[in-house]
Amino acid sequence: MAMKHLRIRDPLVFASIPSYASSALRIPHSRLIYYYSDKYTTHDDISAQSAIAQRDQALFTAADAVFCASEMITADLVELRDHVHYLPHAVDTSHFSRHRLADVSAPADLATIPHPRIGYYGSIAHNNDQDMIEYAARTAPDMHFVLIGKVFGDYSRLEKLANVHFLGFKPYADLPNYSRHFDVAFMNWKMTEWIRNCNPLKAKEYLAMGLPVVSIPIHELERHQSDLVYFASTPPEFLAQIQRALAEDSPALQDRRAERMRLESWDERTRQMLALLDEAAR
């Protein structure tokens, strides 16, 4: 009904989540793109895996072209059909721009937290490694860890620490104003199959803000941002890399990180995607 009202005929359909397979396949379309932003069949909700796999296979088979956000996902799929391409995530560089927010003061709930602020935003769940934060917070009580996002699970042991702050869910529109006032950003996930295959968009958002990033070793980051990201696999390494990031940070490094991400815009990714789609049609 919406398409009829807006006089949309034979659209290019872009599907990026298997849950919408039935809708995507039902819409009359000129082309169908399936974009693997993650390796959906490794989702840790066991009860949903069968349904996810069926919908994933339906989209994978029907698509005119398949694009994969990580090299590891591409390697798993490229032999299964034609027109499978590696096309990593892009970042909204106009939204995540530290220069745009240079003179904006910190939000009230962040402004009261002392520096250095070691920040994270996103889902806070069982796949986040609490041991890393607890070790760093207890060993370096002068550091303040800021976690933004909805909490899933028991985080009581971190909530007891005076230098660990949970600020709750924040709208996407507000995230740059919060991260703008971090000193270091981090990603402390446990190394599951889902994470091993991912290409974390969050890292690019952090870097677009000019932030130093401390992360567990993820293939995509090691391959393409190893000169910008500090890697840590254990709690002591996590603290040491945060300390190193704080010591090395400078305006020149902040500009370098942000400038690299300007080449990772969605405008550029769209041009690449449409060119490959035309090639598939020919």
Side-chain angles (χ1 to χ4, degrees), residues 26-177:
R26 190 162 55 243
I27 295 172
H29 54 264
S30 60
R31 311 273 181 84
L32 173 62
I33 288 174
Y34 187 25
Y35 182 62
Y36 278 82
S37 58
D38 287 293
K39 191 171 184 180
Y40 308 118
T41 52
T42 63
H43 195 279
D44 54 6
D45 184 350
I46 302 300
S47 64
Q49 278 193 1
S50 176
I52 289 172
Q54 289 176 10
R55 294 165 184 165
D56 168 71
Q57 186 59 40
L59 284 170
F60 180 75
T61 303
D64 293 285
V66 174
F67 298 99
C68 306
S70 81
E71 290 178 336
M72 292 184 71
I73 296 174
T74 309
D76 282 348
L77 300 177
V78 71
E79 301 297 330
L80 301 181
R81 55 156 291 169
D82 294 332
H83 308 302
V84 174
H85 305 280
Y86 170 60
L87 199 74
H89 287 311
V91 61
D92 187 345
T93 52
S94 62
H95 187 56
F96 291 94
S97 168
R98 67 193 182 92
H99 296 297
R100 178 174 63 85
L101 299 166
D103 299 323
V104 178
S105 58
D109 54 351
L110 182 64
T112 58
I113 299 173
H115 292 275
R117 297 174 185 144
I118 318 303
Y120 168 92
Y121 61 73
S123 295
I124 304 168
H126 65 277
N127 61 344
N128 294 77
D129 192 335
Q130 294 190 52
D131 292 343
M132 284 187 167
I133 299 174
E134 183 175 22
Y135 176 87
R138 290 187 182 279
T139 308
D142 59 314
M143 291 184 184
H144 287 263
F145 291 82
V146 179
L147 289 90
I148 295 172
K150 188 173 181 180
V151 177
F152 300 88
D154 182 6
Y155 270 73
S156 56
R157 61 179 167 128
L158 294 186
E159 290 169 349
K160 295 174 184 176
L161 300 177
N163 58 334
V164 178
H165 311 268
F166 292 85
L167 301 189
F169 172 82
K170 304 297 178 186
Y172 177 78
D174 296 342
L175 293 179
N177 195 24

Side-chain angles (χ1 to χ4, degrees), residues 218-236:
I218 296 172
H219 174 82
E220 284 290 320
L221 299 182
E222 291 182 307
R223 282 272 292 147
H224 302 288
Q225 280 95 39
S226 62
D227 58 328
L228 302 179
V229 176
Y230 299 84
F231 297 106
S233 298
T234 65

Side-chain angles (χ1 to χ4, degrees), residues 172-206:
Y172 177 78
D174 296 342
L175 293 179
N177 195 24
Y178 278 88
S179 58
R180 172 71 181 85
H181 298 281
F182 294 165
D183 297 295
V184 173
F186 69 91
M187 297 185 298
N188 65 319
W189 299 306
K190 297 175 182 176
M191 186 55 77
T192 63
E193 196 63 20
W194 177 279
I195 295 299
R196 186 173 288 106
N197 283 274
C198 82
N199 185 349
L201 176 57
K202 195 188 315 293
K204 294 186 176 182
E205 293 171 351
Y206 288 155

Side-chain angles (χ1 to χ4, degrees), residues 250-261:
S250 68
L253 278 176
Q254 293 165 15
D255 287 341
R256 180 182 169 196
R257 298 174 193 124
E259 183 59 35
R260 179 83 67 83
M261 291 305 106

Side-chain angles (χ1 to χ4, degrees), residues 88-91 93 204 208 256-269 271-272:
H89 287 311
V91 61
T93 52
K204 294 186 176 182
R256 180 182 169 196
R257 298 174 193 124
E259 183 59 35
R260 179 83 67 83
M261 291 305 106
R262 289 193 188 100
L263 304 176
E264 305 273 345
S265 73
W266 275 113
D267 286 342
E268 178 58 29
R269 286 290 184 274
R271 282 191 285 270
Q272 296 170 2

